[in-house]
Amino acid sequence: MSAVIEKLILKNFERYKRVEIDFSAGLNLIKGRNSTGKTTILNALTFALFGEAPEVKNKLLVSRLPGSSEMVVYVKFRSPRNGQVVEIERRGSLDKNGDYRTENRTLKINGKIIPVDSEESLKEKVTELLGMSLRKFLNLVYVRQGGLNEILSPNRDQMDSILGITLLREIREQFEEARRELERFEGRDVVTELRILEEQIPKYDSDLSFINKDIENLEKEVKELDEVVRKAESVELSELLANVRSRDLIEQELNRNNSRIQVLLEQSEVSSVEELGEKMRLYKNRLESLSNEKNKLEEVIKYYEDKWSVTRAQIENIKNQIREREGLAEKGLSKCPKCGQEINPSILRKIIDEDRVLLDRLEEEEKVLREAVDSSRMRLKQLLDELKQVESRYLNYNSTMDKIRENQKALEELLNKKSNVLKAISEKLDGLNLPFKPEDPDLMVKIAQLLPIQPEELARKKKELEDRKKTLEDKKRRRDKLLEEFEKAKKLRDRLRERFEKANLVRMLVQSIEKAIEDRRRELLKRIEFKALEYYKTMTDQHVYDAIRIDPEDYSVWVHPKGLTEPIPANRVGGGHQTIISLALRLALLDSLNLRSLLILDEPTYGVDSQNLPQVANYIGEVSKHLSQIILVTHHNICEEEASNIIEVSVQEDGSSKAEIKM
């Protein structure tokens, strides 16, 4: 048998500065006094394989010894699955916050570097190569101090994990989750939705049947009405009737235009367009005459106003002269203070009298001019009022004439249309050999009498046909929508049926998985019980038990002593027997799970007194014969003869641990 673990190298790992340990097949004994660093080697081995140590934070694995820096852990092992040589190296250190940081991880298989992009990726590779996960490694292969006999009353979850039941149950739960997912559709219960659809689909079918029957009847009615209308509508007669209707419409419009012209004439108080034109001519002449008179009067007023203004200025000037001269006379001055001329009082008085005569004459003239301006202005106001009235009347007459001309133009166009329509009617009448005149006001009635049905009845039939066609289109749209909903409901029903069937299939599969899990578990337990008893018999000559039993409910171990009618709990037998039963069970588990390559025992004699120590050592020696490799940690001098490799661990003067192979 070849070794599984071949080499372990540590640098700055806990109390180890630098150590290189070689392991061999068979029993590898790690011995030394308490607290020297024996268990540290096992922690290092676990960390090297899986990136973590049991119950120790990674940051606590980095050495605190002076001068320590980067931590390096290297392990080399041979895969029990395929014999490949595997090398793992991990490098890391503490960051500024004191937390562990992986700086590098390397995996080699048969000397070739295998890329690993994460811790999980490396862990998966190691699990595959070792044939066991970290959980199984810690629960089955690595027996920690004081834990040897825990297998007699194990934790159920741990045992499920060791037996592979946990994985199977996880698979079963995944199937259960898939079943629950299948039983829901868009957040609703599939069974409920399916029942609703099963009730709706026949109703869709019934509604479609009724609506198809309605469509069939409507199509028949439309066809019959269309035939009636088609037969009743002669193309030639229809065209003739259309022309007659056009003639009548034109005649109506002609009458309306003539009426509008007559109303406009009446509003202008004339009886004809000519009379309106004559009125317009008279008012235009009067407007021109008034305009001329206004212009002349405005010139006269301007003349009088200018003359009046000059006269008033003269009056004011004379008044000023009289005041000045009277002032000079009153003062009795002999010379004028302004010009220095000699003043003769008598001459001055004469001049003043002459000025007064002139002032009286100018004031009389100013009065006459003012009266002339006022009378002219009054006449101008009267003239402007009359001019405004005449202009308003003229503009109204002009606007009325424009409207009449527009209507006359429209009349001409209508008369042209009427002429063309009458010509078309005449041609149609000739073509149909009908003895009617185009101008006949009763022509519509006479032509209608020639039709299979009366125009009113034909119009009613056509309206009925249009209504039926519209109803038919509405029914078809309703049918198409109903059919779309029907098909959608059927597809959804089929989809839900498929989900329901799949859910039932998954349910049956889950039940089968549960039964298979339980059958496998019980079969495996029977095999373990049998092998445990076999190992027990090979490890001791004290064959005091007929059977070893494992309770399938809680995995507690029972033994059946010879001579007793009932089994008893294994944890109630003597300490030595508990140890041998525990070892036998662990061997049976490793054998049954095809993991016979490795067993790690950390202080398995913990709590064993000195009298029973040789016996327990004996049992361990026997165990080593059944496995490829055992790593045993102890501080007792036991199993040295059975050991193929002895590693002595001690503490040096600087406080660091040292491990060396004992030659």
Side-chain angles (χ1 to χ4, degrees):
M1 294 186 291
S2 60
V4 176
I5 307 300
E6 295 184 355
K7 185 183 287 292
L8 180 67
I9 300 175
L10 308 179
K11 178 185 176 184
N12 295 325
F13 189 93
E14 291 198 24
R15 292 169 62 179
Y16 288 95
K17 288 184 176 179
R18 173 99 168 91
V19 67
E20 183 174 333
I21 304 170
D22 291 317
F23 294 89
S24 64
L27 178 60
N28 290 264
L29 184 62
I30 301 175
K31 57 178 292 189
R33 301 183 68 180
N34 288 333
S35 301
T36 55
K38 302 185 296 298
T39 301
T40 299
I41 294 174
L42 302 184
N43 285 341
L45 178 59
T46 308
F47 179 80
L49 291 171
F50 296 103
E52 56 184 286
E55 300 178 3
V56 182
K57 293 182 178 179
N58 286 355
K59 66 180 181 179
L60 299 178
L61 301 176
V62 180
S63 176
R64 264 60 174 182
L65 292 170
S68 299
S69 55
E70 182 185 50
M71 182 180 80
V72 181
V73 182
Y74 167 90
V75 66
K76 177 181 179 183
F77 69 90
R78 190 174 295 274
S79 171
R81 302 291 297 276
N82 52 31
Q84 291 179 319
V85 176
V86 182
E87 297 173 78
I88 302 171
E89 182 181 87
R90 298 176 183 273
R91 293 176 178 268
S93 61
L94 298 178
D95 61 18
K96 62 181 180 180
N97 297 319
D99 294 322
Y100 180 76
R101 181 184 70 251
T102 299
E103 294 175 348
N104 188 40
R105 57 178 76 86
T106 306
L107 170 65
K108 289 184 180 179
I109 299 178
N110 291 335
K112 181 181 178 182
I113 294 178
I114 305 300
V116 284
D117 54 9
S118 67
E119 184 59 47
E120 287 303 314
S121 175
L122 179 55
K123 196 174 288 187
E124 287 175 7
K125 289 281 187 183
V126 172
T127 298
E128 180 185 349
L129 292 163
L130 272 180
M132 69 186 87
S133 63
L134 172 62
R135 189 172 183 183
K136 187 171 286 188
F137 178 83
L138 294 176
N139 290 335
L140 180 60
V141 172
Y142 181 5
V143 183
R144 281 172 280 174
Q145 183 174 322
L148 181 62
N149 293 338
E150 288 179 359
I151 199 168
L152 300 178
S153 299
N155 177 280
R156 181 182 174 88
D157 290 339
Q158 288 180 356
M159 278 300 292
D160 282 344
S161 176
I162 290 171
L163 297 175
I165 302 302
T166 301
L167 178 60
L168 292 173
R169 282 182 176 156
E170 287 175 358
I171 293 171
R172 182 195 69 80
E173 183 55 36
Q174 289 174 3
F175 276 111
E176 273 290 282
E177 181 62 29
R179 178 187 64 78
R180 288 190 289 269
E181 183 67 25
L182 286 168
E183 288 179 348
R184 304 290 295 175
F185 180 76
E186 295 181 354
R188 302 187 297 274
D189 181 62
V190 167
V191 174
T192 304
E193 291 298 306
L194 194 55
R195 185 177 65 251
I196 292 170
L197 285 171
E198 294 289 4
E199 293 172 357
Q200 285 180 343
I201 286 173
K203 187 176 182 304
Y204 276 123
D205 200 22
S206 174
D207 290 347
L208 278 169
S209 177
F210 280 123
I211 202 167
N212 279 327
K213 187 68 177 175
D214 286 347
I215 288 172
E216 184 181 344
N217 291 334
L218 278 169
E219 285 177 338
K220 184 177 179 182
E221 290 178 13
V222 166
K223 184 177 180 183
E224 290 173 354
L225 281 169
D226 193 57
E227 184 68 19
V228 169
V229 170
R230 187 183 62 79
K231 289 179 179 178
E233 283 187 321
S234 164
V235 176
E236 291 79 5
L237 285 175
S238 297
E239 291 177 353
L240 180 57
L241 284 170
N243 286 332
V244 173
R245 278 193 290 272
S246 295
R247 182 204 68 178
D248 292 345
L249 289 173
I250 292 170
E251 194 65 40
Q252 291 173 10
E253 190 62 29
L254 283 168
N255 292 335
R256 280 194 291 272
N257 271 33
N258 283 322
S259 296
R260 283 194 288 270
I261 291 172
Q262 192 60 38
V263 169
L264 290 168
L265 290 171
E266 288 174 0
Q267 289 174 348
S268 299
E269 298 178 348
V270 295
S271 59
S272 67
V273 177
E274 290 76 12
E275 188 178 349
L276 177 62
E278 181 60 25
K279 266 197 172 187
M280 286 179 64
R281 186 183 63 75
L282 292 174
Y283 270 89
K284 184 179 180 182
N285 291 338
R286 179 60 181 159
L287 189 63
E288 290 175 354
S289 173
L290 288 171
S291 294
N292 291 333
E293 186 178 350
K294 176 184 79 74
N295 293 335
K296 290 177 180 178
L297 186 57
E298 285 175 344
E299 289 176 1
V300 169
I301 291 172
K302 178 72 169 57
Y303 169 77
Y304 282 138
E305 284 177 341
D306 291 344
K307 195 170 182 180
W308 183 29
S309 178
V310 171
T311 302
R312 281 185 296 173
Q314 288 175 345
I315 290 170
E316 190 63 31
N317 190 36
I318 292 297
K319 285 181 178 179
N320 290 334
Q321 287 180 10
I322 291 171
R323 280 194 295 271
E324 288 178 2
R325 287 168 178 168
E326 284 181 343
L328 291 173
E330 288 175 0
K331 292 177 180 178
L333 297 176
S334 59
K335 286 185 180 182
C336 178
K338 289 184 179 179
C339 62
Q341 187 179 352
E342 292 287 339
I343 299 174
N344 189 325
S346 60
I347 295 172
L348 181 61
R349 174 55 59 186
K350 183 181 179 182
I351 292 171
I352 293 172
D353 291 339
E354 290 174 354
D355 286 342
R356 287 191 179 278
V357 171
L358 179 60
L359 178 62
D360 292 340
R361 185 177 59 80
L362 288 172
E363 285 179 342
E364 185 65 27
E365 187 178 339
E366 186 269 338
K367 180 180 177 183
V368 172
L369 288 171
R370 183 174 66 247
E371 289 174 353
V373 169
D374 289 342
S375 62
S376 297
R377 284 177 176 172
M378 187 176 296
R379 172 61 186 149
L380 180 62
K381 183 177 182 302
Q382 293 171 351
L383 194 63
L384 288 173
D385 289 342
E386 185 181 358
L387 185 63
K388 185 177 179 181
Q389 291 176 0
V390 171
E391 186 178 23
S392 176
R393 276 296 187 91
Y394 176 74
L395 290 174
N396 286 337
Y397 288 146
N398 195 51
S399 174
T400 301
M401 182 61 81
D402 289 342
K403 291 176 182 177
I404 289 172
R405 284 169 180 162
E406 287 176 5
N407 280 277
Q408 286 177 333
K409 184 178 179 182
L411 281 172
E412 289 178 7
E413 292 175 355
L414 288 169
L415 288 170
N416 287 333
K417 282 186 180 179
K418 182 179 178 182
S419 175
N420 293 332
V421 170
L422 288 173
K423 183 178 179 182
I425 292 172
S426 178
E427 291 174 355
K428 291 290 182 185
L429 289 172
D430 292 343
L432 293 169
N433 295 318
L434 295 176
F436 306 131
K437 293 182 179 180
E439 299 84 0
D440 190 344
D442 298 324
L443 186 58
M444 177 71 76
V445 176
K446 292 176 181 178
I447 294 172
Q449 291 173 350
L450 301 176
L451 297 172
I453 58 175
Q454 293 302 309
E456 294 78 6
E457 178 67 12
L458 177 60
R460 191 182 66 78
K461 289 289 184 185
K462 290 174 74 173
K463 178 68 168 59
E464 186 179 352
L465 176 61
E466 290 302 314
D467 291 344
R468 287 288 187 275
K469 284 181 177 180
K470 184 178 179 182
T471 303
L472 178 60
E473 290 302 316
D474 291 342
K475 288 279 185 182
K476 284 182 176 180
R477 281 194 293 272
R478 171 64 182 148
R479 180 192 61 186
D480 293 343
K481 185 179 179 182
L482 198 61
L483 188 60
E484 182 182 350
E485 292 174 358
F486 181 46
E487 292 300 323
K488 186 177 178 181
K490 286 197 297 182
K491 286 179 181 178
L492 181 57
R493 178 198 61 189
D494 294 343
R495 191 174 171 187
L496 292 179
R497 278 179 178 173
E498 184 181 356
R499 289 178 75 92
F500 180 71
E501 290 168 1
K502 286 180 178 178
N504 282 337
L505 183 63
V506 172
R507 184 181 289 105
M508 290 187 290
L509 185 59
V510 167
Q511 291 170 354
S512 299
I513 290 173
E514 287 176 343
K515 185 177 183 304
I517 290 172
E518 189 58 26
D519 290 347
R520 183 182 184 282
R521 191 172 71 92
R522 289 183 180 273
E523 179 187 348
L524 192 56
L525 290 178
K526 289 292 182 186
R527 189 186 313 153
I528 292 167
E529 290 172 349
F530 173 77
K531 287 183 177 292
L533 185 61
E534 291 296 310
Y535 280 119
Y536 166 75
K537 289 177 181 180
T538 61
M539 292 167 66
T540 179
D541 56 0
Q542 297 181 20
H543 301 166
V544 296
Y545 305 114
D546 287 332
I548 296 176
R549 295 283 180 260
I550 301 174
D551 188 334
E553 297 303 321
D554 61 4
Y555 295 113
S556 60
V557 180
W558 296 64
V559 292
H560 194 251
K562 290 182 178 180
L564 295 184
T565 57
E566 297 291 336
I568 61 174
N571 56 13
R572 291 183 58 191
V573 303
H577 280 236
Q578 286 187 34
T579 300
I580 194 170
I581 292 169
S582 296
L583 288 169
L585 275 168
R586 202 164 292 273
L587 284 173
L589 277 165
L590 291 169
D591 192 356
S592 299
L593 298 173
N594 198 26
L595 297 171
R596 294 183 293 273
S597 53
L598 179 63
L599 179 62
I600 300 173
L601 301 172
D602 186 6
E603 297 286 4
T605 58
Y606 176 80
V608 178
D609 57 37
S610 58
Q611 290 181 346
N612 290 318
L613 195 59
Q615 188 180 17
V616 173
N618 240 0
Y619 298 153
I620 295 171
E622 286 297 322
V623 169
S624 66
K625 298 176 183 178
H626 299 281
L627 298 173
S628 299
Q629 186 178 48
I630 291 183
I631 299 175
L632 171 64
V633 171
T634 182
H635 63 276
H636 296 295
N637 294 319
I638 60 171
C639 298
E640 291 191 13
E641 292 183 5
E642 292 86 354
S644 59
N645 187 30
I646 299 176
I647 303 159
E648 290 189 343
V649 179
S650 60
V651 178
Q652 301 185 95
E653 290 183 2
D654 62 358
S656 64
S657 295
K658 177 183 179 183
E660 56 185 357
I661 305 297
K662 183 179 179 182
M663 305 304 292

